[in-house]
Amino acid sequence: MSTERLLYHVWLSPFSRKVILVLGEKKLVYKGILEKVWERRPDFYALNCAGQVPVLVEEDGTVIADSTVIVEYLEEVYPAINLLGKTPAERAEARRIAAWFDLKFNKEVTANLLDEKVFRRLFNKGTPNSAALRAGAMNITYHLDYIAYLVERRRWLAGDELTIADLTAAAHLSALDYLGNVPWEQHELVKEWYSRVKSRPSFRPLLQERMPALAPVPHYADLDF
Amino acid sequence: MSTERLLYHVWLSPFSRKVILVLGEKKLVYKGILEKVWERRPDFYALNCAGQVPVLVEEDGTVIADSTVIVEYLEEVYPAINLLGKTPAERAEARRIAAWFDLKFNKEVTANLLDEKVFRRLFNKGTPNSAALRAGAMNITYHLDYIAYLVERRRWLAGDELTIADLTAAAHLSALDYLGNVPWEQHELVKEWYSRVKSRPSFRPLLQERMPALAPVPHYADLDF
């Protein structure tokens, strides 16, 4: 058994990125393990029979799978730095927006762009579907409008404090930004909010991540993009 | 403003059903409001801009959207009857299995059967896709095997007590059972577990639900099926 906290993750996975951000914000030390999920490694399926990253293994051997479940677990066990909010209603709002990005944005945007461009090939499912790429590129603009609507009214997406809502949205956007798929120029308010998230120390591992044979767009790691 | 707790839901929605079960288990009184989401009613979008059911409106006007968010909220505000588990690790296991059904089972089974047979027409998206129906009918068997694997080892899906894991799995299965899409005969252990969930008083509203012009299979509401 390891005596370190382990995080199984993969390049550009927004769900892995969300947990990396949460661990960073909470200042929890871990060792990252790159898990190429498309290789369907039996030892990894023994850890998480869903076969998906991220998976967190605590120092005592506790295994936690599913990014949202990991976040709830970390909030319960390491509450000193609160990323959900103070009241049940505040937490519901942070969770609602996080679910918006993990479900709705993921289905309408991330799956159409990132999954098509990057993961389809790795899973041996052929070449990108051009209708999906067009749909993803169209859909992202209305989600960016929604972020703009929120940050016109609030300092962070769910209220006065940074929460899992910001980290989840930024996790998805950062993976798409690596590919150059975020039209920042038409969305100044969103860009201002994203540059605040991007400047946080918790974001550094994401900006340093490089997928083999797929370089990011030039502005990807610039804090002043 | 209403002085009652309101639940916006729709027939056969597994996500609505999960919240109906949780409200029932916690003995929380509410008024159900049938929301035909495909009509895209502006007043409903004002409540939940994602346009999806379920939405819970508390007596004080607090609006909570997304079934998983509603469950976390109800657990925090009404903890007397605990549906998540006692320790962080137990709660992580209950949440993991709930997420399995809401994400993986939903994508591989519910979307291929229920969405194709019932919701596609309501959303004016044409007739059922026969490849999807075949995929759903094939996929359900391996998920039933997974439930059997769990209940061979545990009294309830996540451990010794009934949790949101059981209620989420049963919410999906009950909607598919209405359509006659659950092959119970090949899965005796699963049937035994399901009949225990089905016998709970919280299940009655589901067994009484009837969608207009779509009768359930004859055994649907039988406790001895």
Side-chain angles (χ1 to χ4, degrees):
Chain A
M1 196 164 86
S2 175
T3 55
E4 290 175 285
R5 178 180 294 114
L6 306 176
L7 178 70
Y8 292 82
H9 67 97
V10 77
W11 317 292
L12 296 181
S13 149
F15 303 97
S16 297
R17 288 180 162 223
K18 177 172 64 167
V19 174
I20 289 169
L21 290 173
V22 168
L23 288 166
E25 290 292 332
K26 288 184 177 284
K27 302 183 173 50
L28 295 171
V29 177
Y30 65 95
K31 181 179 161 192
I33 299 181
L34 183 76
E35 181 64 39
K36 298 177 182 173
V37 282
W38 49 91
E39 294 181 352
R40 301 176 191 278
R41 202 165 57 84
D43 283 355
F44 182 64
Y45 273 74
L47 270 186
N48 176 19
C49 54
Q52 294 164 336
V53 285
V55 174
L56 183 75
V57 183
E58 284 279 70
E59 289 152 352
D60 67 0
T62 304
V63 179
I64 319 282
D66 181 286
S67 69
T68 301
V69 176
I70 294 171
V71 171
E72 294 287 346
Y73 173 86
L74 293 174
E75 276 291 300
E76 290 181 354
V77 180
Y78 308 101
I81 291 169
N82 177 334
L83 297 172
L84 273 172
K86 291 188 197 81
T87 68
E90 281 175 19
R91 287 193 286 275
E93 179 64 355
R95 286 179 178 125
R96 178 188 72 81
I97 297 171
W100 175 290
F101 285 94
D102 276 343
L103 300 173
K104 195 171 173 67
F105 185 93
N106 185 60
K107 184 177 174 179
E108 296 173 0
V109 183
T110 311
N112 283 326
L113 297 173
L114 181 71
D115 295 2
E116 287 292 326
K117 287 185 177 182
V118 175
F119 292 109
R120 190 185 258 274
R121 182 175 51 81
L122 294 170
F123 280 94
N124 264 323
K125 292 188 174 171
T127 52
N129 175 320
S130 57
L133 297 176
R134 278 194 305 276
M138 272 185 46
N139 293 339
I140 195 171
T141 64
Y142 102 82
H143 285 279
L144 294 173
D145 288 344
Y146 184 50
I147 294 177
Y149 168 89
L150 293 172
V151 293
E152 269 182 337
R153 286 158 180 79
R154 302 164 169 179
R155 174 154 171 75
W156 297 99
L157 295 191
D160 291 339
E161 308 287 343
L162 174 109
T163 66
I164 189 62
D166 303 280
L167 302 178
T168 307
H172 282 267
L173 287 173
S174 69
L176 295 168
D177 192 38
Y178 187 103
L179 304 174
N181 275 136
V182 186
W184 298 114
E185 25 338 311
Q186 294 101 310
H187 296 88
E188 277 301 323
L189 275 172
V190 182
K191 186 175 170 180
E192 189 275 325
W193 158 81
Y194 184 69
S195 78
R196 275 189 281 135
V197 187
K198 193 176 180 178
S199 305
R200 299 180 75 87
S202 66
F203 225 83
R204 276 181 215 146
L206 274 49
L207 300 182
Q208 286 159 5
E209 193 178 271
R210 291 294 176 275
M211 183 158 171
L214 181 67
V217 295
H219 72 254
Y220 173 67
D222 290 353
L223 293 182
D224 192 18
F225 58 109
Chain B
M1 199 164 86
S2 175
T3 55
E4 290 176 285
R5 178 180 295 115
L6 306 176
L7 179 70
Y8 292 81
H9 66 98
V10 77
W11 316 293
L12 296 182
S13 148
F15 303 97
S16 299
R17 287 179 164 224
K18 177 172 65 166
V19 174
I20 288 169
L21 291 173
V22 168
L23 289 166
E25 289 292 332
K26 288 182 177 285
K27 302 184 174 47
L28 296 171
V29 177
Y30 65 94
K31 182 178 160 192
I33 299 180
L34 183 76
E35 181 64 40
K36 298 176 182 172
V37 282
W38 50 91
E39 294 180 352
R40 301 176 191 277
R41 203 166 56 84
D43 283 356
F44 182 64
Y45 273 74
L47 270 186
N48 177 19
C49 55
Q52 294 164 334
V53 286
V55 174
L56 184 76
V57 184
E58 284 278 73
E59 290 152 350
D60 67 359
T62 304
V63 179
I64 319 281
D66 181 286
S67 69
T68 301
V69 177
I70 294 171
V71 171
E72 295 287 346
Y73 173 86
L74 293 174
E75 277 290 301
E76 290 182 355
V77 179
Y78 308 102
I81 292 168
N82 177 333
L83 297 172
L84 274 172
K86 291 190 197 80
T87 67
E90 281 175 21
R91 288 193 286 275
E93 179 65 354
R95 287 179 177 125
R96 178 187 73 80
I97 297 170
W100 175 289
F101 285 94
D102 276 344
L103 300 173
K104 195 171 173 66
F105 185 93
N106 185 60
K107 183 176 175 181
E108 295 173 359
V109 182
T110 311
N112 282 327
L113 296 173
L114 181 71
D115 294 3
E116 287 293 325
K117 288 185 175 181
V118 175
F119 292 109
R120 190 184 256 274
R121 183 176 51 81
L122 294 169
F123 279 94
N124 266 322
K125 291 188 174 171
T127 52
N129 176 321
S130 58
L133 296 176
R134 277 195 305 276
M138 271 184 46
N139 293 340
I140 195 171
T141 63
Y142 101 81
H143 287 280
L144 294 174
D145 288 343
Y146 184 50
I147 294 176
Y149 168 89
L150 293 173
V151 293
E152 270 182 338
R153 286 157 180 80
R154 303 164 170 180
R155 175 155 171 75
W156 297 99
L157 295 192
D160 290 338
E161 308 286 342
L162 175 109
T163 66
I164 189 62
D166 303 280
L167 302 178
T168 306
H172 282 267
L173 287 173
S174 70
L176 296 168
D177 192 38
Y178 187 103
L179 304 174
N181 274 138
V182 185
W184 298 115
E185 33 326 318
Q186 294 100 308
H187 296 87
E188 277 302 321
L189 276 173
V190 182
K191 186 174 170 180
E192 189 276 324
W193 159 82
Y194 184 69
S195 79
R196 276 189 280 136
V197 187
K198 193 176 179 179
S199 304
R200 299 179 76 85
S202 66
F203 224 83
R204 278 182 213 142
L206 273 47
L207 300 181
Q208 287 159 6
E209 193 179 271
R210 290 295 176 275
M211 184 158 171
L214 181 67
V217 295
H219 72 254
Y220 173 68
D222 291 352
L223 293 182
D224 192 20
F225 58 107

